[in-house]
Amino acid sequence: MLNVAVASGYFAVKSQMMPVSNNSEAQKIRFEVPYGTPVLKIISSLKEHGLIKNEKLFYASIKYPQLLKFFFPSAQIPQADFKSGTYYLSPAMDYTELLSILSSGQQEYIHVSIPEGLTISKIAALLEENGICSKDDFVKVCHEPSILAEYSIPSDSCEGFLFPDTYFLNSGMQAESVIRIMLDNFSSKIHEIPAAANMSEQDLFDLVTLASIVEREYRVKEEAPLIASVFKNRLKQNIGLYSCATIEYILTEIQGREHPKVILIEDTKIDNPYNTYKWAGLPPGPISNPGLTALNACFNTPKTNYYFFQIVDPAAGRHVFTSTFDQHVSNHNLYTK
């Protein structure tokens, strides 16, 4: 009777450790492990997703690997060390398979594309939307003095230095890790531009600031260098840049208003150092995070006599470039911006 009871208990326990499904083609389930999730919460989530039968036995298998060896003597017992990420798990997997995958770190990456010209706040919102990290944490770390000092950014934020690209990230990452990936990418990309070599921190910052404006002004790639030339010519003559993009930045990022359909005359009179209609020279810092087209346009700007540009094809985003104010005014009959 004792042997029968022992055998019965053995098979009862082992049955609880067997896969939930016997169907080897059972549909896999997307399973997320956010960064810093406690083991017990992960186990509870496995049960909720129908991936294990018994939470206590699964925990015991982690704590006492010899238990798995006893019930599955021929199996390769993995070292349980859960890593954050997104995995695809099947209810047909046994304990050893689940432990092996969750400890492998070979998770599904989340592809996040950061378009050129986004601001810190918009990047933060996009990352939170994709489950990467908290929007508030991202914005906060972007203003962290230690990060700015480490990456030699002479500003109060990382604005302008978060390189727009497609990133392969994990769910629940720390904001600082994401920011470092973007800043390292910027450093790598900027080294692809020979003109940026041996440039001082301030000179680099000034050109990134200019590139952030060019990024928000051009739509046709080949016009970016010409727009940069207009702005550089105006800077040399201490003429205001008169960039609508800087007004948009004030309205949306500083004042927190909705993106304007049009820039009004009164908007150009706002008393703010980012207002390039009111003040000559560059604004205090970047107004967006520029890509390589805008950066190259500002680091390798052609010499022109242009001081003005006016949109002539709003659908295509094309401009006409002129050297004198009279020419610029005469172009207003082409299209009124």
Side-chain angles (χ1 to χ4, degrees):
M1 289 292 292
L2 181 60
N3 288 342
V4 172
V6 170
S8 177
Y10 172 86
F11 287 110
V13 172
K14 187 169 183 177
S15 70
Q16 289 292 298
M17 301 174 76
M18 296 299 287
V20 173
S21 171
N22 293 322
N23 180 8
S24 61
E25 296 183 0
Q27 186 174 1
K28 290 187 177 182
I29 297 168
R30 189 171 187 271
F31 187 80
E32 293 188 5
V33 181
Y35 183 87
T37 306
V39 170
L40 289 177
K41 189 169 182 180
I42 295 172
I43 295 172
S44 175
S45 186
L46 287 168
K47 180 68 166 62
E48 289 173 7
H49 283 79
L51 293 165
I52 59 173
K53 296 176 181 177
N54 191 300
E55 294 178 52
K56 290 182 179 179
L57 271 178
F58 193 82
Y59 179 70
S61 300
I62 296 171
K63 196 170 184 181
Y64 306 106
Q66 58 269 33
L67 186 65
L68 274 179
K69 196 66 178 173
F70 176 74
F71 285 100
F72 304 96
S74 62
Q76 186 71 32
I77 309 302
Q79 177 67 41
D81 180 20
F82 293 161
K83 293 180 172 62
S84 63
T86 303
Y87 304 86
Y88 278 95
L89 306 176
S90 167
M93 292 176 177
D94 62 28
Y95 278 20
T96 58
E97 290 176 294
L98 291 171
L99 289 173
S100 179
I101 292 173
L102 291 171
S103 302
S104 69
Q106 296 179 357
Q107 66 271 26
E108 178 206 23
Y109 288 103
I110 300 173
H111 298 194
V112 182
S113 292
I114 309 296
E116 291 89 346
L118 292 193
T119 57
I120 285 175
S121 66
K122 288 180 173 62
I123 293 174
L126 188 59
L127 291 170
E128 184 172 88
E129 193 177 295
N130 281 272
I132 305 300
C133 64
S134 157
K135 176 175 65 176
D136 292 341
D137 287 348
F138 187 86
V139 172
K140 181 180 179 182
V141 178
C142 277
H143 290 80
E144 179 59 50
S146 60
I147 294 288
L148 298 170
E150 181 180 342
Y151 285 88
S152 302
I153 301 173
S155 180
D156 62 356
S157 81
C158 296
E159 195 82 88
F161 294 83
L162 303 173
F163 193 78
D165 208 340
T166 295
Y167 293 93
F168 300 89
L169 306 170
N170 299 327
S171 173
M173 288 181 70
Q174 288 185 318
E176 182 176 332
S177 299
V178 181
I179 289 166
R180 286 183 180 278
I181 289 171
M182 292 182 178
L183 292 176
D184 288 340
N185 194 16
F186 175 88
S187 298
S188 174
K189 297 297 184 184
I190 207 71
H191 282 112
E192 295 178 13
I193 304 175
N198 303 317
M199 190 169 280
S200 70
E201 288 179 14
Q202 189 59 51
D203 286 344
L204 176 63
F205 181 75
D206 289 345
L207 280 178
V208 170
T209 298
L210 182 59
S212 76
I213 300 173
V214 173
E215 183 65 66
R216 297 293 297 155
E217 291 282 359
Y218 90 90
R219 282 175 58 195
V220 179
K221 185 176 180 179
E222 58 265 29
E223 288 189 357
L226 297 179
I227 291 174
S229 77
V230 169
F231 287 146
K232 282 193 174 183
N233 288 339
R234 295 177 75 86
L235 287 169
K236 287 176 185 176
Q237 298 299 325
N238 200 33
I239 303 170
L241 299 183
Y242 278 47
S243 167
C244 292
T246 61
I247 304 300
E248 290 173 1
Y249 183 81
I250 295 170
L251 297 176
T252 60
E253 297 296 321
I254 297 175
Q255 297 185 351
R257 291 158 58 181
E258 292 293 322
H259 194 281
K261 292 181 180 179
V262 294
I263 299 297
L264 305 175
I265 293 297
E266 61 239 45
D267 295 329
T268 65
K269 297 177 180 179
I270 295 173
D271 189 12
N272 187 285
Y274 280 88
N275 185 347
T276 57
Y277 279 82
K278 192 175 179 66
W279 310 107
L282 290 169
I287 63 166
S288 74
N289 290 277
L292 273 181
T293 295
L295 288 167
N296 269 310
C298 293
F299 281 92
N300 300 291
T301 310
K303 291 188 182 300
T304 72
N305 293 319
Y306 297 143
Y307 282 85
F308 306 90
F309 59 94
Q310 172 72 27
I311 196 161
V312 293
D313 185 348
R318 292 192 175 277
H319 298 82
V320 63
F321 295 83
T322 51
S323 300
T324 69
F325 184 67
D326 287 342
Q327 291 171 331
H328 178 64
V329 170
S330 69
N331 286 326
H332 276 273
N333 62 356
L334 298 176
Y335 179 77
T336 302
K337 191 173 181 179

